[in-house]
Coordinates of all heavy atoms in Angstrom, one line a residue:
M1 N 15.9 -22.8 3.3 CA 16.4 -23.8 2.3 C 16.5 -25.2 2.9 O 16.5 -26.2 2.2 CB 17.8 -23.5 1.8 CG 17.8 -22.2 0.9 SD 16.9 -22.4 -0.6 CE 18.0 -23.3 -1.6
T2 N 16.4 -25.4 4.3 CA 16.6 -26.7 4.9 C 15.2 -27.3 5.3 O 15.2 -28.0 6.2 CB 17.5 -26.6 6.1 OG1 17.0 -25.6 7.0 CG2 18.9 -26.2 5.7
S3 N 14.2 -26.9 4.6 CA 12.9 -27.5 4.9 C 13.0 -29.0 4.9 O 13.6 -29.6 4.0 CB 11.9 -27.1 3.8 OG 10.7 -27.9 3.8
T4 N 12.4 -29.7 5.9 CA 12.5 -31.1 6.0 C 11.6 -31.9 5.0 O 12.0 -32.9 4.5 CB 12.1 -31.5 7.4 OG1 10.8 -31.1 7.7 CG2 13.1 -31.0 8.5
R5 N 10.5 -31.3 4.7 CA 9.6 -32.0 3.8 C 9.8 -31.7 2.3 O 9.5 -32.5 1.4 CB 8.1 -31.7 4.1 CG 7.7 -32.3 5.5 CD 6.2 -32.5 5.6 NE 5.5 -31.2 5.8 CZ 4.2 -31.2 6.1 NH1 3.5 -32.3 6.1 NH2 3.6 -30.0 6.3
L6 N 10.4 -30.6 2.0 CA 10.7 -30.2 0.6 C 12.0 -29.3 0.6 O 11.8 -28.0 0.6 CB 9.5 -29.5 0.0 CG 9.6 -29.3 -1.5 CD1 9.6 -30.7 -2.2 CD2 8.4 -28.5 -2.0
P7 N 13.1 -29.8 0.7 CA 14.4 -29.0 0.8 C 14.5 -28.0 -0.4 O 14.2 -28.4 -1.5 CB 15.5 -30.1 0.8 CG 14.8 -31.3 1.3 CD 13.4 -31.3 0.9
G8 N 15.0 -26.8 -0.1 CA 15.2 -25.8 -1.1 C 13.9 -25.3 -1.7 O 13.9 -24.6 -2.8
K9 N 12.8 -25.4 -1.0 CA 11.5 -25.2 -1.6 C 11.3 -23.7 -2.1 O 10.7 -23.5 -3.1 CB 10.3 -25.5 -0.6 CG 10.3 -24.7 0.7 CD 9.2 -25.2 1.6 CE 9.1 -24.4 2.9 NZ 8.0 -24.9 3.7
V10 N 11.8 -22.7 -1.4 CA 11.5 -21.3 -1.7 C 12.2 -20.9 -3.0 O 11.8 -19.9 -3.6 CB 11.9 -20.4 -0.6 CG1 11.0 -20.6 0.6 CG2 13.3 -20.4 -0.3
L11 N 13.2 -21.6 -3.4 CA 13.9 -21.3 -4.7 C 13.6 -22.3 -5.8 O 14.2 -22.2 -6.9 CB 15.4 -21.2 -4.5 CG 15.9 -20.0 -3.6 CD1 17.4 -20.0 -3.5 CD2 15.3 -18.7 -4.1
K12 N 12.6 -23.2 -5.6 CA 12.2 -24.1 -6.6 C 11.5 -23.2 -7.7 O 10.8 -22.3 -7.4 CB 11.2 -25.1 -6.1 CG 11.9 -26.2 -5.3 CD 11.0 -27.3 -4.8 CE 10.4 -28.1 -5.9 NZ 11.5 -29.0 -6.5
A13 N 11.7 -23.6 -9.0 CA 11.2 -22.7 -10.0 C 9.9 -23.2 -10.6 O 9.6 -24.4 -10.7 CB 12.2 -22.7 -11.2
I14 N 9.0 -22.3 -10.9 CA 7.7 -22.5 -11.6 C 7.7 -21.5 -12.7 O 7.8 -20.3 -12.5 CB 6.5 -22.4 -10.7 CG1 6.6 -23.4 -9.5 CG2 5.2 -22.5 -11.5 CD1 5.4 -23.2 -8.5
V19 N 9.7 -19.7 -6.5 CA 8.6 -19.5 -5.6 C 8.8 -18.2 -4.8 O 7.8 -17.4 -4.6 CB 8.5 -20.7 -4.6 CG1 7.6 -20.4 -3.4 CG2 8.0 -21.9 -5.3
D88 N 6.9 -19.4 2.0 CA 6.3 -20.5 1.3 C 4.9 -20.3 0.8 O 4.1 -21.2 0.6 CB 6.4 -21.8 2.1 CG 5.8 -21.7 3.5 OD1 5.3 -20.6 3.8 OD2 6.0 -22.6 4.3
R179 N -5.6 -25.3 0.3 CA -4.2 -25.3 0.7 C -3.3 -24.8 -0.5 O -3.1 -25.6 -1.4 CB -3.8 -26.7 1.2 CG -2.3 -26.8 1.6 CD -2.0 -28.2 2.0 NE -0.6 -28.3 2.3 CZ 0.0 -28.0 3.5 NH1 -0.8 -27.6 4.5 NH2 1.3 -28.0 3.7
T181 N -0.2 -23.2 0.1 CA 1.2 -23.0 0.6 C 2.1 -24.1 0.1 O 1.6 -25.1 -0.5 CB 1.1 -23.0 2.2 OG1 2.4 -22.6 2.7 CG2 0.8 -24.3 2.7
L182 N 3.4 -24.0 0.4 CA 4.3 -25.0 -0.2 C 5.1 -25.7 0.9 O 6.0 -25.1 1.5 CB 5.3 -24.3 -1.1 CG 6.4 -25.2 -1.8 CD1 5.8 -26.3 -2.6 CD2 7.3 -24.3 -2.6
D183 N 4.8 -27.0 1.2 CA 5.5 -27.8 2.2 C 5.9 -29.1 1.6 O 6.8 -29.8 2.1 CB 4.6 -28.0 3.4 CG 4.7 -26.9 4.4 OD1 5.8 -26.3 4.5 OD2 3.7 -26.5 5.1
T184 N 5.2 -29.6 0.6 CA 5.3 -31.0 0.1 C 5.4 -31.0 -1.4 O 4.9 -30.0 -2.1 CB 4.2 -31.9 0.6 OG1 3.0 -31.5 -0.1 CG2 4.0 -31.8 2.1
P185 N 5.8 -32.1 -2.0 CA 5.7 -32.2 -3.5 C 4.3 -32.0 -4.0 O 4.1 -31.5 -5.1 CB 6.2 -33.7 -3.7 CG 7.1 -33.9 -2.6 CD 6.5 -33.3 -1.4
E186 N 3.3 -32.5 -3.3 CA 1.9 -32.3 -3.7 C 1.5 -30.8 -3.8 O 0.8 -30.4 -4.7 CB 0.9 -33.1 -2.8 CG 1.1 -34.6 -2.9 CD 2.1 -35.1 -1.9 OE1 2.9 -34.3 -1.3 OE2 2.2 -36.4 -1.8
D187 N 2.0 -30.1 -2.8 CA 1.8 -28.6 -2.8 C 2.4 -28.0 -4.0 O 1.8 -27.1 -4.6 CB 2.3 -28.0 -1.5 CG 1.7 -28.4 -0.2 OD1 0.5 -28.8 -0.3 OD2 2.3 -28.4 0.8
F188 N 3.6 -28.4 -4.3 CA 4.3 -27.9 -5.5 C 3.5 -28.2 -6.7 O 3.4 -27.3 -7.6 CB 5.7 -28.4 -5.5 CG 6.5 -27.8 -6.6 CD1 7.1 -26.5 -6.5 CD2 6.7 -28.5 -7.8 CE1 7.8 -26.0 -7.5 CE2 7.5 -27.9 -8.9 CZ 8.0 -26.7 -8.7
E189 N 3.0 -29.4 -6.8 CA 2.3 -29.8 -8.0 C 1.0 -28.9 -8.2 O 0.7 -28.4 -9.3 CB 1.8 -31.2 -7.9 CG 1.0 -31.7 -9.1 CD 0.5 -33.2 -8.9 OE1 0.9 -33.8 -7.9 OE2 -0.3 -33.6 -9.7
L191 N 0.6 -25.7 -7.0 CA 1.1 -24.4 -7.3 C 1.5 -24.3 -8.7 O 1.3 -23.3 -9.4 CB 2.2 -23.9 -6.3 CG 1.7 -23.6 -4.9 CD1 2.9 -23.6 -3.9 CD2 0.9 -22.3 -4.8
K228 N 2.0 -29.1 9.5 CA 2.8 -29.5 10.7 C 2.3 -28.7 11.9 O 2.0 -27.5 11.8 CB 4.3 -29.2 10.5 CG 4.9 -30.1 9.4 CD 6.3 -29.8 9.1 CE 7.2 -30.1 10.3 NZ 8.7 -29.9 9.9

Side-chain angles (χ1 to χ4, degrees):
M1 294 293 286
T2 56
S3 166
T4 55
R5 293 202 282 184
L6 193 63
K9 63 182 182 179
V10 297
L11 292 184
K12 287 179 71 67
I14 298 175
V19 166
D88 51 7
R179 178 182 175 85
T181 187
L182 179 59
D183 276 324
T184 70
E186 293 87 352
D187 295 334
F188 184 78
E189 182 183 349
L191 287 166
K228 292 176 73 173

